[in-house]
mmCIF file of all heavy atoms in Angstrom:
data_model
loop_
_atom_site.group_PDB
_atom_site.id
_atom_site.type_symbol
_atom_site.label_atom_id
_atom_site.label_comp_id
_atom_site.label_asym_id
_atom_site.label_seq_id
_atom_site.Cartn_x
_atom_site.Cartn_y
_atom_site.Cartn_z
ATOM 1 N N ILE A 77 3.893 10.866 -10.437
ATOM 2 C CA ILE A 77 5.024 10.875 -11.359
ATOM 3 C C ILE A 77 5.749 9.532 -11.307
ATOM 4 O O ILE A 77 6.144 9.067 -10.244
ATOM 5 C CB ILE A 77 6.017 12.009 -10.999
ATOM 6 C CG1 ILE A 77 5.372 13.370 -11.187
ATOM 7 C CG2 ILE A 77 7.295 11.878 -11.849
ATOM 8 C CD1 ILE A 77 6.217 14.557 -10.736
ATOM 9 N N LEU A 78 5.879 8.927 -12.497
ATOM 10 C CA LEU A 78 6.692 7.715 -12.666
ATOM 11 C C LEU A 78 7.983 8.128 -13.347
ATOM 12 O O LEU A 78 7.976 8.562 -14.489
ATOM 13 C CB LEU A 78 5.932 6.691 -13.540
ATOM 14 C CG LEU A 78 6.721 5.463 -13.983
ATOM 15 C CD1 LEU A 78 7.238 4.641 -12.792
ATOM 16 C CD2 LEU A 78 5.859 4.563 -14.908
ATOM 17 N N MET A 79 9.107 8.020 -12.630
ATOM 18 C CA MET A 79 10.384 8.463 -13.164
ATOM 19 C C MET A 79 11.114 7.342 -13.908
ATOM 20 O O MET A 79 11.076 6.187 -13.450
ATOM 21 C CB MET A 79 11.269 9.013 -12.064
ATOM 22 C CG MET A 79 10.889 10.411 -11.598
ATOM 23 S SD MET A 79 12.228 11.203 -10.678
ATOM 24 C CE MET A 79 12.303 12.757 -11.545
ATOM 25 N N LEU A 80 11.775 7.705 -14.985
ATOM 26 C CA LEU A 80 12.583 6.786 -15.753
ATOM 27 C C LEU A 80 14.036 7.203 -15.604
ATOM 28 O O LEU A 80 14.389 8.327 -15.866
ATOM 29 C CB LEU A 80 12.194 6.811 -17.236
ATOM 30 C CG LEU A 80 10.697 6.594 -17.570
ATOM 31 C CD1 LEU A 80 10.495 6.719 -19.095
ATOM 32 C CD2 LEU A 80 10.232 5.237 -17.088
ATOM 33 N N THR A 81 14.895 6.244 -15.184
ATOM 34 C CA THR A 81 16.290 6.551 -15.046
ATOM 35 C C THR A 81 17.112 5.623 -15.915
ATOM 36 O O THR A 81 16.785 4.438 -16.071
ATOM 37 C CB THR A 81 16.747 6.421 -13.587
ATOM 38 O OG1 THR A 81 18.163 6.610 -13.478
ATOM 39 C CG2 THR A 81 16.374 5.087 -12.994
ATOM 40 N N ALA A 82 18.167 6.159 -16.543
ATOM 41 C CA ALA A 82 18.942 5.410 -17.516
ATOM 42 C C ALA A 82 19.893 4.396 -16.872
ATOM 43 O O ALA A 82 20.429 3.526 -17.541
ATOM 44 C CB ALA A 82 19.725 6.346 -18.392
ATOM 45 N N LYS A 83 20.109 4.554 -15.562
ATOM 46 C CA LYS A 83 21.038 3.613 -14.889
ATOM 47 C C LYS A 83 20.435 3.200 -13.565
ATOM 48 O O LYS A 83 19.622 3.878 -12.977
ATOM 49 C CB LYS A 83 22.386 4.286 -14.679
ATOM 50 C CG LYS A 83 22.321 5.635 -13.980
ATOM 51 C CD LYS A 83 23.657 6.315 -13.982
ATOM 52 C CE LYS A 83 23.634 7.681 -13.292
ATOM 53 N NZ LYS A 83 22.750 8.641 -13.942
ATOM 54 N N ASP A 84 20.903 2.029 -13.095
ATOM 55 C CA ASP A 84 20.424 1.534 -11.824
ATOM 56 C C ASP A 84 21.180 2.200 -10.699
ATOM 57 O O ASP A 84 22.030 1.635 -10.017
ATOM 58 C CB ASP A 84 20.613 -0.002 -11.786
ATOM 59 C CG ASP A 84 19.901 -0.639 -10.598
ATOM 60 O OD1 ASP A 84 19.087 0.059 -9.967
ATOM 61 O OD2 ASP A 84 20.181 -1.777 -10.309
ATOM 62 N N ASP A 85 20.886 3.494 -10.518
ATOM 63 C CA ASP A 85 21.632 4.324 -9.603
ATOM 64 C C ASP A 85 20.784 4.601 -8.352
ATOM 65 O O ASP A 85 19.743 5.253 -8.450
ATOM 66 C CB ASP A 85 21.972 5.668 -10.314
ATOM 67 C CG ASP A 85 22.943 6.487 -9.473
ATOM 68 O OD1 ASP A 85 22.835 6.491 -8.253
ATOM 69 O OD2 ASP A 85 23.812 7.164 -10.090
ATOM 70 N N GLU A 86 21.242 4.105 -7.217
ATOM 71 C CA GLU A 86 20.469 4.269 -5.965
ATOM 72 C C GLU A 86 20.269 5.776 -5.649
ATOM 73 O O GLU A 86 19.232 6.182 -5.169
ATOM 74 C CB GLU A 86 21.220 3.611 -4.804
ATOM 75 C CG GLU A 86 20.509 3.668 -3.472
ATOM 76 C CD GLU A 86 19.244 2.837 -3.451
ATOM 77 O OE1 GLU A 86 19.090 1.966 -4.326
ATOM 78 O OE2 GLU A 86 18.401 3.034 -2.549
ATOM 79 N N PHE A 87 21.299 6.602 -5.965
ATOM 80 C CA PHE A 87 21.205 8.024 -5.706
ATOM 81 C C PHE A 87 20.063 8.643 -6.488
ATOM 82 O O PHE A 87 19.228 9.382 -5.968
ATOM 83 C CB PHE A 87 22.514 8.738 -6.044
ATOM 84 C CG PHE A 87 22.443 10.231 -5.880
ATOM 85 C CD1 PHE A 87 22.512 10.787 -4.625
ATOM 86 C CD2 PHE A 87 22.277 11.059 -6.987
ATOM 87 C CE1 PHE A 87 22.439 12.200 -4.481
ATOM 88 C CE2 PHE A 87 22.209 12.437 -6.843
ATOM 89 C CZ PHE A 87 22.310 13.020 -5.568
ATOM 90 N N ASP A 88 19.972 8.314 -7.781
ATOM 91 C CA ASP A 88 18.902 8.829 -8.630
ATOM 92 C C ASP A 88 17.535 8.422 -8.105
ATOM 93 O O ASP A 88 16.610 9.215 -8.025
ATOM 94 C CB ASP A 88 19.047 8.326 -10.057
ATOM 95 C CG ASP A 88 19.965 9.214 -10.896
ATOM 96 O OD1 ASP A 88 20.487 10.200 -10.345
ATOM 97 O OD2 ASP A 88 20.143 8.908 -12.099
ATOM 98 N N LYS A 89 17.425 7.147 -7.704
ATOM 99 C CA LYS A 89 16.115 6.669 -7.221
ATOM 100 C C LYS A 89 15.719 7.395 -5.965
ATOM 101 O O LYS A 89 14.577 7.886 -5.838
ATOM 102 C CB LYS A 89 16.227 5.162 -6.921
ATOM 103 C CG LYS A 89 16.442 4.276 -8.145
ATOM 104 C CD LYS A 89 16.637 2.840 -7.677
ATOM 105 C CE LYS A 89 16.950 1.900 -8.815
ATOM 106 N NZ LYS A 89 17.207 0.518 -8.376
#
Side-chain angles (χ1 to χ4, degrees):
I77 295 174
L78 171 59
M79 283 197 130
L80 306 178
T81 175
K83 53 188 180 298
D84 191 12
D85 190 323
E86 183 69 16
F87 176 78
D88 273 2
K89 294 175 183 177

